[in-house]
Amino acid sequence: MDQNRHYTCTACMTAVPRGHKFCGRCGGSVPESVLNMQTQYFSDMQDPAKARLILVLGEGMEGLSYHLKADQHIVGRNGQVEFPDDYFVSPTHANFFYRNDRLVVKDEGSLNGVYVRFRGTTPIAPGDTFMAGDHVFRLELAPRLSVSADSEGTLYYASPERPSTFRITQIFGGGAAGLTTCSQGPSLSIGREGCELNFGDDVHLDVAHCTVEEREGRFYLTDHNSRNGTYTRIKTEVELGHGDYVFVGRKLLRVEINA
């Protein structure tokens, strides 16, 4: 039993109590490797300070796990986490790294951005883009309509103007504007049916998925506990926690942290 609790001197086979630098019988020194020995994990996968990315949506690659055990992890068509066949992903798209033991994701100037799922309500500003279901949207201020006449004194004929403070524009490929809907009050809802902005054929949208609301000149985006969530495009970088979801191109990743 003593051999299980103590280091055994290799010269005289005497048990040396833990923490002693020399054998009490022959004076032999205890190796530094024994003095400084620390318990290690079976695998880096157990390290509570490290995270994993689980591929949730990946065109047949769902379930793949990427262990974030280095200082930095470039995600892109090239890098430590590669998606070479996803041309919505830039060659160097995002970087996952640790700062003060917290996982951070940074957009590395990608064309299509990095989108992170939020819970409840989050602030949003004109010009910001967000994702709901299969669609990308941009929040814009309502245009100020001109009532001035042309050089001949003729007014432009137009649809009746209704008071509106903001509008939501659907974004198509290449950044082209799609369907645009102006608010008719302080809020505008998005979903499959019964909303101001409806997409009945989008199976990834809830019936009432999310709402943009204006309050005293500020704007807020609320997710209505939707099944697939609502995502905002990050401006630079954000900290991530266990269970967060991140879109990079058309790849959806879930963050898992052991701690």
Side-chain angles (χ1 to χ4, degrees), residues 38-50 67 258-259:
Q38 295 181 345
T39 303
Q40 297 182 354
Y41 292 112
F42 282 126
S43 165
D44 286 341
M45 298 291 286
Q46 296 174 278
D47 189 345
K50 303 302 181 182
H67 191 205
N258 289 330

Side-chain angles (χ1 to χ4, degrees), residues 111-222:
L111 176 63
N112 292 306
V114 176
Y115 289 80
V116 176
R117 182 176 182 174
F118 69 92
R119 308 285 181 175
T121 299
T122 188
I124 189 172
D128 288 352
T129 57
F130 61 96
M131 295 175 58
D134 293 330
H135 297 275
V136 179
F137 304 97
R138 182 172 59 235
L139 170 65
E140 301 172 344
L141 293 176
R144 294 185 177 276
L145 302 181
S146 174
V147 294
S148 60
D150 66 7
S151 59
E152 297 179 339
T154 306
L155 295 175
Y156 285 98
Y157 184 80
S159 299
E161 180 183 353
R162 295 184 176 88
S164 179
T165 55
F166 69 93
R167 64 185 184 183
I168 300 297
T169 297
Q170 180 188 23
I171 305 301
F172 285 154
L179 179 67
T180 296
T181 301
C182 292
S183 65
Q184 298 300 309
S187 66
L188 192 154
S189 58
I190 301 171
R192 279 206 323 273
E193 59 182 75
C195 300
E196 283 81 22
L197 194 51
N198 298 300
F199 299 91
D201 59 348
D202 188 345
V203 297
H204 297 125
L205 277 177
D206 278 35
V207 173
H209 195 100
C210 61
T211 297
V212 176
E213 184 179 11
E214 184 267 333
R215 306 177 201 159
E216 299 180 348
R218 297 181 181 273
F219 298 92
Y220 301 89
L221 176 61
T222 298

Side-chain angles (χ1 to χ4, degrees), residues 224-245:
H224 298 305
N225 197 28
S226 63
R227 180 182 295 270
N228 292 305
T230 306
Y231 299 74
T232 55
R233 181 171 181 170
I234 67 174
K235 292 181 171 60
T236 53
E237 61 183 47
V238 296
E239 288 188 353
L240 299 172
H242 179 74
D244 280 344
Y245 288 82

Side-chain angles (χ1 to χ4, degrees), residues 75-130:
V75 179
R77 295 208 308 276
N78 306 306
Q80 286 74 41
V81 181
E82 290 186 329
F83 300 118
D85 299 327
D86 188 343
Y87 288 95
F88 295 106
V89 175
S90 295
T92 301
H93 196 108
N95 187 8
F96 288 82
F97 62 94
Y98 297 99
R99 179 191 293 131
N100 300 325
D101 296 327
R102 298 283 296 181
L103 182 64
V104 179
V105 61
K106 179 182 179 182
D107 186 346
E108 294 289 347
S110 64
L111 176 63
N112 292 306
V114 176
Y115 289 80
V116 176
R117 182 176 182 174
F118 69 92
R119 308 285 181 175
T121 299
T122 188
I124 189 172
D128 288 352
T129 57
F130 61 96

